[in-house]
Amino acid sequence: MDMDLKSLESWIFKELHIDLSAYKSNQMNRRLTNFITRSGTTSVNEYIKLMDKNPELKQKLKDFITINVSEFFRNKELFAEFEKKVREVFLKDNKKLKIWSAACSNGAEPYSVAMILDRLTPNVRHTIIATDIDATILETAKKGEYNPNDIKNVDSNALSKYFTKIGDKYAISPDIKSRVQFKKHDLIRDPYEKGFDIILCRNVVIYFTAEIKDKLYRQFSESLNPGGILFVGATESIYNYSQFGFDKASTFIYQKKG
Ligand SMILES: C[S@@+](CC[C@H](N)C(=O)[O-])C[C@H]1O[C@@H](n2cnc3c(N)ncnc32)[C@H](O)[C@@H]1O
């Protein structure tokens, strides 16, 4: 089998606007090789020709590269810790917060945050921006319909308050939906907005090279207000956090020095 991954990489950059040089190359090459092998085609070029004719195959490869799995309150115990920190750090004066869920996938993450804040500050309308590189997954997020597996960490009170069961799907309430603004954003190529109190960036940097990770953490730090917090994924401890002007606030939560 011809595994001309370099030409696939250029095609991905040109057609999907994803820069694979930012992703860990051994891991990505292994995954791409498996993907092409499993597709039943005999070469990378044959698969490229098929994708040029079939947008569905193009999307399939994009989904595969970006791995957009998510769920509500992913790592439940860490979300409990996150809620505790939000309460400690921000909620003394009913301040209106600006929050960014970066690489938000199907929206389960920003909607989890909206539910927490609705519970903590029912009368405050915070700004929650949720971004992802993948326009298709953002459409899914805006639709806000979930499978039973996505909501397994939602407790029964929240389930009855914030979801309506429609067939075998769970639809998020229009109120929670209206609290989140979804936008397309590439963490590697696009500029970062500033003035955030809270940033969540979970389960995406694991695919990036060390240099890109450092660049992202520096930019997150610049995007946060002093005292703002960054909540990362359960395998994504930042060992060099002080380099970016953070203190460690909890196992997977970093606070920008005030
Ligand atoms: C595994 S999901 C994480 C979803 C959510 N944060 C969570 O922890 O459940 C990774 C997401 O990162 C997005 N992604 C991958 N590369 C990206 C990039 N360069 N910029 C923005 N988002 C990216 C994917 O499209 C995918 O939706």
Side-chain angles (χ1 to χ4, degrees), residues 1-19:
M1 153 98 64
D2 146 39
M3 275 303 164
D4 182 4
L5 292 178
K6 275 278 159 243
S7 68
L8 184 59
E9 205 171 296
S10 324
W11 185 91
I12 289 168
F13 188 70
K14 199 164 120 254
E15 297 291 326
L16 304 179
H17 314 292
I18 297 175
D19 181 1

Side-chain angles (χ1 to χ4, degrees), residues 146-185:
Y146 296 93
N147 296 317
N149 201 41
D150 302 328
I151 51 130
K152 63 178 187 298
N153 288 340
V154 179
D155 66 43
S156 55
N157 281 345
L159 197 59
S160 58
K161 186 164 179 201
Y162 299 118
F163 291 86
T164 309
K165 190 153 192 267
I166 304 173
D168 55 358
K169 297 269 185 192
Y170 291 81
I172 194 91
S173 76
D175 177 55
I176 291 297
K177 214 192 248 189
S178 72
R179 291 167 191 251
V180 180
Q181 301 165 34
F182 290 99
K183 292 183 195 167
K184 189 165 184 282
H185 179 271

Side-chain angles (χ1 to χ4, degrees), residues 91 94-95 97 116-126 179:
L91 297 185
N94 254 10
K95 185 182 156 210
L97 301 174
I116 289 175
L117 287 170
D118 181 51
R119 201 151 28 80
L120 295 178
T121 53
N123 301 319
V124 185
R125 205 78 194 172
H126 303 283
R179 291 167 191 251

Side-chain angles (χ1 to χ4, degrees), residues 23 66-70 74 103 109 132 185-187 202-203:
Y23 294 70
T66 56
I67 327 170
N68 40 35
V69 279
S70 189
R74 186 172 188 169
E109 179 178 284
D132 201 280
H185 179 271
D186 181 343
L187 284 166
R202 311 187 66 224
N203 305 301

